[in-house]
Amino acid sequence: MNKIFFNLIAAVVLATGIASCSGDPVSSESIFSTKTPVRDNFDQWLLNNFTYPYNVEVKYRFDDIESDVKYTVTPADSAKSAKLAKLVKYLWYDSYDEVVGKEFLKQYSPRMIFLVGSGMYESSGTVILGYATGSIKIVLTNVNDLTDGILHSPEDLDRLYLSTFHHEFQHILNQKSSFDPAFEEISREDYVSGNWYQQTNEKEVFRKGFVRNYAMQEANEDYAETYSDYVSYSYEKWNRIMTIAAQCHTCDGTGKVKVTVDKETKQIDCTDCSGSGAGNGANKINEKVNFIRNYMMSSFGLDLDKLREVVHRRNSELPDIDLSTLE
């Protein structure tokens, strides 16, 4: 009996509510704000340089929905965000535009760049400099560490920001067009699980055929790291990697070995590393670069070496960029 009684009450209340709602006047106002947001000079500059030409939103005001809730972070400083945005436009977007045209990034660029003031720290002490979410968003951290010294140092800008951007962008491209799975066979036996890659010293990393230890995790990270470092590292830094990578070979009677460094055959002093699990690192890195070179051209019509040349030229022009204005 009680159950029936309560059901009758619920039915009466529901009917009353429906009748009451049906008598309410229909509002002509949208539940979404239709007011034009207030934009300062930087906001307008972002619209003109990212949103309108590439359909990209750059967010620097903190939004916890866009951040990773696992980490405690601070908002990005607006003045430093403006300087970094201008550098990303000049050193990254304009580089691709110059090589392959604006339509490329209009189609493949992430739809959002989210700037975070501090780094994202793992319990192991590792600092996350950036990451991509699907093919939609790239997050760059440590914006508040942008000092005047870093602003005019291509190597520091690459280490903290631009290399991350190239790396994450390669992940986005790989989701659009898969790379040849044969790439993984080059270093299959040397990939490591978990965080064991952190235990490998630099020389051993190079001699095993990786450009840095993070690339040792698996083929996707190896692909993105090789691409990023080849494009953005200075010629001197890249040649140093290749020279060390070439030193671990079975030496001939002269203590030398022939290797290719930046398409040029050189005689390099070597160490007999037979039986150590390392060796032929330079050949492996060159093979990986060739995979990426062919992939970028066949999948996207982009000349990898031309991009590298343009990136390096723009890096050399860094001292001439006026970061005090948004012109």
Side-chain angles (χ1 to χ4, degrees):
M1 178 68 71
N2 285 343
K3 183 176 180 181
I4 296 174
F5 179 74
F6 286 129
N7 285 342
L8 285 172
I9 291 177
V12 171
V13 170
L14 180 61
T16 303
I18 292 173
S20 175
C21 290
S22 64
D24 291 342
V26 178
S27 174
S28 61
E29 293 187 11
S30 170
I31 62 172
F32 302 104
S33 175
T34 58
K35 295 180 179 179
T36 302
V38 178
R39 295 190 175 95
D40 60 19
N41 289 339
F42 180 35
D43 295 322
Q44 191 61 50
W45 185 89
L46 290 174
L47 286 177
N48 293 336
N49 288 274
F50 285 92
T51 307
Y52 296 153
Y54 303 106
N55 193 27
V56 175
E57 180 183 12
V58 179
K59 297 187 74 169
Y60 63 95
R61 293 183 177 92
F62 189 74
D63 186 343
D64 57 356
I65 295 177
E66 305 299 347
S67 186
D68 191 325
V69 296
K70 293 187 298 183
Y71 305 99
T72 301
V73 295
T74 57
D77 177 85
S78 60
K80 293 185 177 183
S81 295
K83 292 178 180 180
L84 181 58
K86 189 169 184 178
L87 288 171
V88 168
K89 176 65 169 61
Y90 185 79
L91 299 175
W92 201 86
Y93 276 82
D94 290 353
S95 294
Y96 281 92
D97 287 354
E98 184 176 337
V99 174
V100 77
K102 281 185 176 293
E103 289 302 313
F104 174 74
L105 285 182
K106 190 173 182 179
Q107 180 176 358
Y108 295 113
S109 171
R111 296 303 110 196
M112 178 187 292
I113 302 170
F114 181 51
L115 304 180
V116 177
S118 59
M120 295 180 172
Y121 291 86
E122 300 276 11
S123 58
S124 62
T126 302
V127 183
I128 296 175
L129 298 178
Y131 61 90
T133 303
S135 59
I136 303 299
K137 175 176 67 178
I138 286 181
V139 179
L140 291 180
T141 69
N142 286 301
V143 173
N144 295 347
D145 287 347
L146 197 63
T147 63
D148 288 340
I150 292 173
L151 285 169
H152 293 93
S153 168
E155 186 165 330
D156 287 334
L157 283 172
D158 173 66
R159 175 176 55 85
L160 291 170
Y161 309 106
L162 277 305
S163 178
T164 299
F165 218 98
H166 285 295
H167 175 108
E168 298 301 341
F169 184 57
Q170 186 60 216
H171 284 319
I172 290 175
L173 294 181
N174 293 163
Q175 292 179 59
K176 304 293 184 183
S177 175
S178 301
F179 60 80
D180 189 339
F183 176 90
E184 186 172 358
E185 299 304 319
I186 300 172
S187 292
R188 176 182 289 277
E189 69 276 10
D190 291 317
Y191 292 126
V192 295
S193 60
N195 292 325
W196 282 104
Y197 69 90
Q198 297 177 6
Q199 310 302 318
T200 310
N201 68 62
E202 185 181 70
K203 287 186 177 181
E204 186 180 355
V205 168
F206 300 156
R207 289 171 175 175
K208 283 181 176 290
F210 299 97
V211 293
R212 63 172 80 183
N213 59 6
Y214 189 74
M216 298 179 72
Q217 291 188 94
E218 44 96 13
N220 289 304
E221 299 302 337
D222 191 9
Y223 207 95
E225 287 286 64
T226 305
Y227 171 82
S228 171
D229 290 356
Y230 182 72
V231 169
S232 61
Y233 273 3
S234 68
Y235 293 121
E236 294 77 15
K237 191 170 184 177
W238 181 262
N239 286 341
R240 174 181 172 272
I241 290 174
M242 296 299 287
T243 298
I244 295 174
Q247 288 171 345
C248 196
H249 283 258
T250 302
C251 302
D252 60 21
T254 65
K256 303 269 187 184
V257 65
K258 286 184 179 181
V259 295
T260 301
V261 178
D262 256 356
K263 300 182 180 179
E264 180 182 347
T265 301
K266 297 182 178 182
Q267 288 273 1
I268 292 178
D269 292 335
C270 65
T271 301
D272 189 347
C273 297
S274 57
S276 69
N280 298 312
N283 294 341
K284 290 182 178 180
I285 293 173
N286 278 326
E287 190 176 355
K288 292 173 184 179
V289 171
N290 281 331
F291 262 87
I292 297 170
R293 182 180 288 116
N294 294 334
Y295 165 82
M296 293 300 289
M297 180 55 73
S298 62
S299 297
F300 305 103
L302 188 147
D303 186 326
L304 182 68
D305 295 299
K306 179 64 175 177
L307 176 64
R308 186 189 192 206
E309 177 186 323
V310 170
V311 167
H312 287 208
R313 193 201 73 235
R314 287 180 174 272
N315 279 336
S316 70
E317 297 166 352
L318 194 57
D320 301 324
I321 301 177
D322 182 6
L323 296 174
S324 63
T325 69
L326 285 170
E327 296 179 357

